[in-house]
Amino acid sequence: MNLPNKLTMLRIFMIPFFVFFMLCPAAGKYRFVIALIIFIAASITDSLDGHIARKYNLITDFGKFMDPLADKMLVVSAMICLVSLGRIPAWVVIIIVAREFTISGFRLIAADKGVVIAASYWGKFKTVFQMIMVILMIADIPALSVLTQIVMWAALALTVISLIDYIYKNRSVISDIK
């Protein structure tokens, strides 16, 4: 359990606290500020764990599996909270979650064939835009509502583009399924 893997586990550990502050009115009038701080801290661990793993050659199979899973858990948990609060349309979240399930299924098929599929730049851009979108939606600043909508549409577009790119580049994984 090296430092990058500990950061990944910390990100997962932060999710219930984030959800609590997002959804529990009893948490007080600053609950969204606390939730925002937790989400930003968790998002920072995402780039930090990858940077440390690459820089110090601490890449592990555990990290390859858990890091993207932790990202999905964090972002999807946040988006579900935002749907509950009426800040994001459910259909946007459904498209994003469907993409994540599709890619996860694709990775399982590839892993069964002994193929490890790395994250693409499109997928990384998608994650960054989704995290920015969530931050803007949690902050819920009226003066930034147009920017928030633009970022949401960009995140949605990147979600679809990254899915198409992922399937196209790795089509050989499913081309010989019988």
Side-chain angles (χ1 to χ4, degrees):
M1 186 58 68
N2 59 32
L3 180 58
N5 292 342
K6 287 178 182 175
L7 289 170
T8 297
M9 294 308 297
L10 175 62
R11 186 161 61 255
I12 292 169
F13 178 75
M14 294 169 88
I15 294 169
F17 296 98
F18 166 77
V19 171
F20 171 77
F21 285 104
M22 283 294 292
L23 298 180
C24 184
K29 71 178 192 177
Y30 296 108
R31 68 190 180 106
F32 292 123
V33 173
I34 296 168
L36 184 60
I37 291 167
I38 293 170
F39 185 85
I40 290 171
S43 297
I44 289 169
T45 68
D46 177 36
S47 46
L48 195 57
D49 65 7
H51 174 74
I52 293 169
R54 287 185 297 278
K55 183 174 181 178
Y56 296 104
N57 196 26
L58 297 172
I59 297 168
T60 64
D61 288 338
F62 177 85
K64 287 179 193 175
F65 176 74
M66 288 304 294
D67 181 60
L69 184 60
D71 297 342
K72 288 174 180 54
M73 291 168 62
L74 175 65
V75 172
V76 170
S77 295
M79 288 189 289
I80 291 170
C81 290
L82 290 165
V83 166
S84 177
L85 296 167
R87 295 186 186 179
I88 188 171
W91 65 268
V92 171
V93 177
I94 290 167
I95 290 170
I96 291 170
V97 170
R99 182 257 186 217
E100 300 305 338
F101 276 117
T102 302
I103 297 301
S104 294
F106 212 78
R107 279 198 168 123
L108 285 173
I109 293 168
D112 192 48
K113 296 179 177 193
V115 177
V116 175
I117 300 174
S120 72
Y121 285 107
W122 286 112
K124 290 177 183 183
F125 291 141
K126 177 246 346 155
T127 300
V128 168
F129 268 81
Q130 287 177 355
M131 288 179 171
I132 293 168
M133 174 190 76
V134 167
I135 289 167
L136 289 169
M137 289 182 172
I138 294 169
D140 196 26
I141 300 169
L144 298 178
S145 63
V146 172
L147 176 63
T148 302
Q149 288 300 303
I150 291 169
V151 172
M152 182 192 78
W153 284 105
L156 191 59
L158 287 167
T159 297
V160 173
I161 291 167
S162 67
L163 173 64
I164 293 166
D165 176 67
Y166 194 93
I167 291 173
Y168 179 76
K169 285 181 179 173
N170 300 289
R171 63 192 177 280
S172 62
V173 170
I174 57 171
S175 63
D176 60 350
I177 293 177
K178 298 182 179 167

